[in-house]
Amino acid sequence: MSGSTPSITLSRRLSYLLRHAPHEAGLTLAPGGWVAVEDLLRGLAQSGPPVSREQLAAVVAGSEKQRFSFDASGERIRANQGHSVPVDLELLPQTPPDVLYHGTAAQFTAAIFREGLQRRQRHHVHLSPDKDTARTVGARRGRPVILTIDAAAMHTAGHLFYRSENGVWLTDSVPPEYLAVLPG
Ligand code: HQG
């Protein structure tokens, strides 16, 4: 992509391979979404410009959204969330904060209040604990609208919530009765 720094380009390649198309680099995600670093580096070299271990480590450490992580040994890597390929991230259900936020764009709100929030291509609906993140996410697609989610009521009603390693809250869907537009 023109104008992107090498680390953004690599971050995008990693997101693509580790979340959406591991097979394109000959990779298979193990439970938890893990792949061996060695296999990833080989797969990257086979599917585009080669990448060194140091470059990989720099992108993982430099990702402001902590999109990727190494395991404790440093020999395996995964995307923390956002997958479209089937993978069990082995997250445990957790009690969410009472209120969570979802940033979307104005053109989607009518459908969202009809059908609820749906996970679309991803494994889960992504929710954030803060409004600013929600606003940034919503602004990617149009005029941002921030929705509040009554996570406490959903939790009481038996909906499961998971927290990914980078602080994003995940759930299967949010029915319309738990949603409201944040004024302003
Ligand atoms: C919308 C990025 C109509 C939903 C971001 C969203 C985030 C509906 C879009 C992370 C709908 C799906 C996730 C319904 C949901 N009718 N529209 N019933 N239900 N939608 O990208 O939450 O850079 O799959 O509001 O920063 O926008 O990938 O989800 O607009 O953290 O690390 O359908 O992706 O992070 O879009 O973004 P997405 P999202 P990364």
Side-chain angles (χ1 to χ4, degrees):
M1 191 167 282
S2 67
S4 293
T5 66
S7 65
I8 292 176
T9 305
L10 177 53
S11 179
R12 289 193 180 139
R13 281 183 82 196
L14 291 178
S15 286
Y16 181 68
L17 292 178
L18 295 176
R19 293 169 168 182
H20 307 301
H23 54 277
E24 286 192 21
L27 300 167
T28 306
L29 303 188
W34 300 105
V35 301
V37 170
E38 205 179 310
D39 293 345
L40 175 64
L41 295 178
R42 191 183 314 117
L44 284 165
Q46 282 166 3
S47 62
V51 174
S52 69
R53 252 174 206 264
E54 292 67 32
Q55 287 169 320
L56 185 66
V59 165
V60 172
S63 168
E64 81 286 3
K65 289 168 86 177
Q66 294 175 266
R67 292 189 174 94
F68 317 103
S69 53
F70 290 110
D71 70 1
S73 72
E75 292 305 317
R76 299 197 305 167
I77 184 171
R78 73 170 173 188
N80 287 328
Q81 38 82 25
H83 300 77
S84 59
V85 292
V87 63
D88 178 1
L89 289 179
E90 301 177 325
L91 299 171
L92 296 174
Q94 292 191 32
T95 303
D98 287 352
V99 177
L100 286 165
Y101 301 94
H102 176 86
T104 191
Q107 69 268 25
F108 299 141
T109 51
I112 289 172
F113 277 93
R114 213 166 43 238
E115 306 162 4
L117 277 174
Q118 299 187 350
R119 58 199 176 87
R120 311 301 231 174
Q121 263 70 264
R122 304 196 192 239
H123 284 202
H124 297 100
V125 172
H126 288 218
L127 305 172
S128 71
D130 66 286
K131 298 170 204 167
D132 288 344
T133 303
R135 186 174 291 108
T136 308
V137 171
R140 294 179 308 156
R141 300 182 189 280
R143 183 170 68 77
V145 172
I146 301 177
L147 303 175
T148 59
I149 289 94
D150 188 348
M154 283 183 69
H155 179 65
T156 304
H159 291 264
L160 297 181
F161 288 82
Y162 308 87
R163 188 180 175 279
S164 80
E165 220 159 304
N166 60 352
V168 173
W169 283 87
L170 306 168
T171 194
D172 284 343
S173 65
V174 180
E177 60 267 32
Y178 300 107
L179 292 167
V181 173
L182 184 75

